[in-house]
mmCIF file of all heavy atoms in Angstrom:
data_model
loop_
_atom_site.group_PDB
_atom_site.id
_atom_site.type_symbol
_atom_site.label_atom_id
_atom_site.label_comp_id
_atom_site.label_asym_id
_atom_site.label_seq_id
_atom_site.Cartn_x
_atom_site.Cartn_y
_atom_site.Cartn_z
ATOM 1 N N LEU E 18 7.812 -5.223 8.847
ATOM 2 C CA LEU E 18 9.152 -4.711 9.112
ATOM 3 C C LEU E 18 9.035 -3.587 10.133
ATOM 4 O O LEU E 18 7.980 -2.972 10.252
ATOM 5 C CB LEU E 18 9.768 -4.162 7.817
ATOM 6 C CG LEU E 18 10.119 -5.184 6.735
ATOM 7 C CD1 LEU E 18 10.566 -4.470 5.461
ATOM 8 C CD2 LEU E 18 11.211 -6.134 7.215
ATOM 9 N N LEU E 44 9.611 -8.247 12.326
ATOM 10 C CA LEU E 44 10.754 -9.111 11.997
ATOM 11 C C LEU E 44 11.877 -8.278 11.377
ATOM 12 O O LEU E 44 11.628 -7.272 10.723
ATOM 13 C CB LEU E 44 10.341 -10.204 11.011
ATOM 14 C CG LEU E 44 9.329 -11.246 11.497
ATOM 15 C CD1 LEU E 44 9.222 -12.371 10.476
ATOM 16 C CD2 LEU E 44 9.710 -11.832 12.854
ATOM 17 N N GLU E 45 13.087 -8.763 11.595
ATOM 18 C CA GLU E 45 14.263 -8.145 10.969
ATOM 19 C C GLU E 45 15.159 -9.245 10.457
ATOM 20 O O GLU E 45 15.078 -10.383 10.943
ATOM 21 C CB GLU E 45 15.021 -7.303 11.992
ATOM 22 C CG GLU E 45 14.302 -6.016 12.326
ATOM 23 C CD GLU E 45 15.084 -5.165 13.313
ATOM 24 O OE1 GLU E 45 14.926 -5.402 14.518
ATOM 25 O OE2 GLU E 45 15.852 -4.306 12.862
ATOM 26 N N LYS E 46 16.039 -8.909 9.512
ATOM 27 C CA LYS E 46 16.993 -9.911 9.031
ATOM 28 C C LYS E 46 17.925 -10.309 10.172
ATOM 29 O O LYS E 46 18.308 -9.471 10.994
ATOM 30 C CB LYS E 46 17.803 -9.343 7.861
ATOM 31 C CG LYS E 46 17.052 -9.400 6.548
ATOM 32 C CD LYS E 46 17.923 -9.001 5.380
ATOM 33 C CE LYS E 46 17.107 -9.068 4.099
ATOM 34 N NZ LYS E 46 17.572 -8.163 3.075
ATOM 35 N N GLN E 47 18.285 -11.593 10.170
ATOM 36 C CA GLN E 47 19.213 -12.078 11.189
ATOM 37 C C GLN E 47 20.643 -11.754 10.761
ATOM 38 O O GLN E 47 20.852 -11.200 9.684
ATOM 39 C CB GLN E 47 19.049 -13.598 11.348
ATOM 40 C CG GLN E 47 17.602 -13.985 11.640
ATOM 41 C CD GLN E 47 17.335 -15.470 11.483
ATOM 42 O OE1 GLN E 47 16.601 -16.047 12.257
ATOM 43 N NE2 GLN E 47 17.934 -16.093 10.472
ATOM 44 N N ASP E 49 22.771 -13.640 9.575
ATOM 45 C CA ASP E 49 23.111 -14.316 8.309
ATOM 46 C C ASP E 49 22.449 -13.645 7.102
ATOM 47 O O ASP E 49 22.525 -14.134 5.980
ATOM 48 C CB ASP E 49 22.726 -15.806 8.368
ATOM 49 C CG ASP E 49 21.216 -16.011 8.544
ATOM 50 O OD1 ASP E 49 20.464 -15.007 8.602
ATOM 51 O OD2 ASP E 49 20.777 -17.175 8.617
ATOM 52 N N GLY E 50 21.778 -12.511 7.326
ATOM 53 C CA GLY E 50 21.165 -11.775 6.217
ATOM 54 C C GLY E 50 19.818 -12.345 5.796
ATOM 55 O O GLY E 50 19.237 -11.885 4.808
ATOM 56 N N LYS E 51 19.329 -13.341 6.529
ATOM 57 C CA LYS E 51 18.042 -13.949 6.154
ATOM 58 C C LYS E 51 16.998 -13.660 7.230
ATOM 59 O O LYS E 51 17.342 -13.359 8.377
ATOM 60 C CB LYS E 51 18.199 -15.471 6.039
ATOM 61 C CG LYS E 51 19.104 -15.886 4.895
ATOM 62 C CD LYS E 51 19.145 -17.396 4.811
ATOM 63 C CE LYS E 51 20.071 -17.845 3.680
ATOM 64 N NZ LYS E 51 20.488 -19.213 3.811
ATOM 65 N N TYR E 52 15.730 -13.808 6.843
ATOM 66 C CA TYR E 52 14.654 -13.702 7.822
ATOM 67 C C TYR E 52 14.516 -15.046 8.529
ATOM 68 O O TYR E 52 14.943 -16.078 7.992
ATOM 69 C CB TYR E 52 13.344 -13.294 7.141
ATOM 70 C CG TYR E 52 13.392 -11.865 6.663
ATOM 71 C CD1 TYR E 52 13.535 -11.562 5.310
ATOM 72 C CD2 TYR E 52 13.342 -10.816 7.574
ATOM 73 C CE1 TYR E 52 13.620 -10.244 4.879
ATOM 74 C CE2 TYR E 52 13.425 -9.496 7.149
ATOM 75 C CZ TYR E 52 13.563 -9.223 5.805
ATOM 76 O OH TYR E 52 13.657 -7.921 5.394
ATOM 77 N N PRO E 53 13.937 -15.053 9.747
ATOM 78 C CA PRO E 53 13.818 -16.312 10.475
ATOM 79 C C PRO E 53 13.129 -17.396 9.640
ATOM 80 O O PRO E 53 12.218 -17.102 8.856
ATOM 81 C CB PRO E 53 12.954 -15.945 11.687
ATOM 82 C CG PRO E 53 13.093 -14.473 11.837
ATOM 83 C CD PRO E 53 13.350 -13.925 10.468
ATOM 84 N N GLU E 54 13.551 -18.622 9.812
ATOM 85 C CA GLU E 54 13.029 -19.769 9.062
ATOM 86 C C GLU E 54 11.511 -19.871 9.199
ATOM 87 O O GLU E 54 10.800 -20.211 8.246
ATOM 88 C CB GLU E 54 13.720 -21.046 9.555
ATOM 89 C CG GLU E 54 13.550 -22.240 8.642
ATOM 90 C CD GLU E 54 13.729 -21.901 7.155
ATOM 91 O OE1 GLU E 54 14.740 -21.277 6.782
ATOM 92 O OE2 GLU E 54 12.824 -22.257 6.374
ATOM 93 N N GLU E 55 11.012 -19.537 10.375
ATOM 94 C CA GLU E 55 9.563 -19.559 10.659
ATOM 95 C C GLU E 55 8.818 -18.681 9.629
ATOM 96 O O GLU E 55 7.744 -19.040 9.141
ATOM 97 C CB GLU E 55 9.350 -19.017 12.087
ATOM 98 C CG GLU E 55 7.945 -18.610 12.451
ATOM 99 C CD GLU E 55 7.900 -17.452 13.469
ATOM 100 O OE1 GLU E 55 8.940 -16.846 13.800
ATOM 101 O OE2 GLU E 55 6.761 -17.154 13.912
ATOM 102 N N PHE E 56 9.439 -17.547 9.270
ATOM 103 C CA PHE E 56 8.781 -16.645 8.328
ATOM 104 C C PHE E 56 8.928 -17.142 6.892
ATOM 105 O O PHE E 56 7.952 -17.143 6.123
ATOM 106 C CB PHE E 56 9.342 -15.223 8.475
ATOM 107 C CG PHE E 56 8.638 -14.239 7.577
ATOM 108 C CD1 PHE E 56 7.275 -13.997 7.718
ATOM 109 C CD2 PHE E 56 9.322 -13.570 6.574
ATOM 110 C CE1 PHE E 56 6.601 -13.117 6.883
ATOM 111 C CE2 PHE E 56 8.661 -12.677 5.730
ATOM 112 C CZ PHE E 56 7.304 -12.453 5.885
ATOM 113 N N ALA E 57 10.124 -17.591 6.523
ATOM 114 C CA ALA E 57 10.339 -18.107 5.160
ATOM 115 C C ALA E 57 9.415 -19.295 4.889
ATOM 116 O O ALA E 57 8.986 -19.519 3.754
ATOM 117 C CB ALA E 57 11.799 -18.506 4.989
ATOM 118 N N THR E 63 9.396 -14.074 1.226
ATOM 119 C CA THR E 63 9.846 -13.258 2.381
ATOM 120 C C THR E 63 9.625 -11.758 2.167
ATOM 121 O O THR E 63 10.537 -10.951 2.315
ATOM 122 C CB THR E 63 11.328 -13.538 2.766
ATOM 123 O OG1 THR E 63 12.168 -13.285 1.643
ATOM 124 C CG2 THR E 63 11.515 -14.943 3.270
ATOM 125 N N THR E 64 8.383 -11.407 1.850
ATOM 126 C CA THR E 64 8.025 -9.989 1.732
ATOM 127 C C THR E 64 7.036 -9.636 2.834
ATOM 128 O O THR E 64 6.285 -10.481 3.333
ATOM 129 C CB THR E 64 7.381 -9.676 0.369
ATOM 130 O OG1 THR E 64 6.290 -10.576 0.166
ATOM 131 C CG2 THR E 64 8.377 -9.762 -0.759
ATOM 132 N N PHE E 65 7.047 -8.355 3.144
ATOM 133 C CA PHE E 65 6.134 -7.797 4.150
ATOM 134 C C PHE E 65 5.270 -6.762 3.452
ATOM 135 O O PHE E 65 5.773 -6.049 2.570
ATOM 136 C CB PHE E 65 6.945 -7.142 5.272
ATOM 137 C CG PHE E 65 7.900 -8.106 5.916
ATOM 138 C CD1 PHE E 65 9.176 -8.268 5.392
ATOM 139 C CD2 PHE E 65 7.520 -8.848 7.008
ATOM 140 C CE1 PHE E 65 10.057 -9.167 5.966
ATOM 141 C CE2 PHE E 65 8.399 -9.746 7.594
ATOM 142 C CZ PHE E 65 9.679 -9.916 7.076
#
Side-chain angles (χ1 to χ4, degrees):
L18 291 173
L44 295 190
E45 287 182 274
K46 280 187 180 153
Q47 305 167 141
D49 63 1
K51 294 183 181 161
Y52 290 105
E54 195 43 51
E55 164 211 8
F56 183 62
T63 58
T64 53
F65 303 88

